[in-house]
Amino acid sequence: MKKIAVFTSGGDSPGMNACIRAVVRTGLKLDLEVIGIKRGFEGMIDGEFINLDRRSVSGIMNRGGTILHSARSDRFRTEEGRKMAFQQLQKEGIEGIVAIGGDGTFTGADIFTKEFDIPFVGTPGTIDNDLYGTDFTIGYDTAINTAMRAIDKIKDTANAHHRLFFVEVMGRDAGFIALRSGIATGAEAVLIPESKTDTESLIRILELNEQNRKRANIVVVAEGDEEGGAFKIAETVKERFPYFETKVTILGHIQRGGAPTCMERVMASRMGMEAVKALLDGKRSVMVGQVHKDIVFTPFEKAIKHHEKVNPVLLDMVEMLA
Ligand code: F6P
């Protein structure tokens, strides 16, 4: 293998740049030519390729977003789109690819490698932490710290005004961001899709807090919670507490941006380096993950379909410590 490519796809996440840098620097050290594909699968279809040398990835480690840009590609879902992508890769002489992304990225890569003979190795780039085969995904640590800091600030106002806040965090259909940021901010409750939301018990907790004259009440809601998001739950609770001042804050995309944490930079760099080595070792259609302190490889198909269960101890902690 003489020429590899790297791209980022799906929702951007902090740490993607550190991973790109590691892929480029490792590739060059191992005498490979490294190409960057812009805008994920979209750029692959359109042949948006750039040469990446050592200097092109200088000073990017501390930057959020992705220097290669990202996209969600509908065209890549079609056979015609994937065929065009293959032709572009062949024309460019690309022999192996590092894909930095999440669920959708690995689904696309998996289909593609079954149709065409180009090996892909993935690194888990998503704030959601919803992939099997790694303790943490690239972007998750930064996102939970961003959410935690935002909720801390909201708590100041909740306390000053004696208000009940419902704070909605991202995570698609997973509750990992909600759970960790909720524990770290001492939330009254955390509502996540992995556990049944019991509005009655939430109301009992809030009633008890009211009796105990607790001033700041925070409920963290995962956007994928089956009860339908923070606004809907707030509405239901408000009917039972008409005297209580209830507010809703949706944290939204601030959770995706910003400088990656130290943990993130180190983990992303390691995964990027291991991905290149794995390509050279002949691995294909696998995601690089870190479990405990070790690097492990999980087939795409397994990584996307079986994300880790939430730790029940963490759920208990919310109740015990609130
Ligand atoms: O997968 C990352 C994520 O930020 C999810 O948490 C969220 O549901 C989704 O992407 C939002 O995607 P978009 O930015 O395309 O609206």
Side-chain angles (χ1 to χ4, degrees), residues 164-175:
L164 164 61
F165 271 89
F166 289 85
V167 184
E168 186 176 296
V169 297
M170 277 187 167
R172 210 164 36 145
D173 52 2

Side-chain angles (χ1 to χ4, degrees), residues 10-13 72 102-103 125-128 130 169-174 177 223 252-253 255-256:
D12 62 306
S13 68
R72 301 196 190 274
D103 206 71
T126 167
I127 62 165
D128 300 337
D130 59 348
V169 297
M170 277 187 167
R172 210 164 36 145
D173 52 2
I177 298 177
E223 65 176 350
H253 286 82
Q255 294 160 96
R256 284 244 291 265

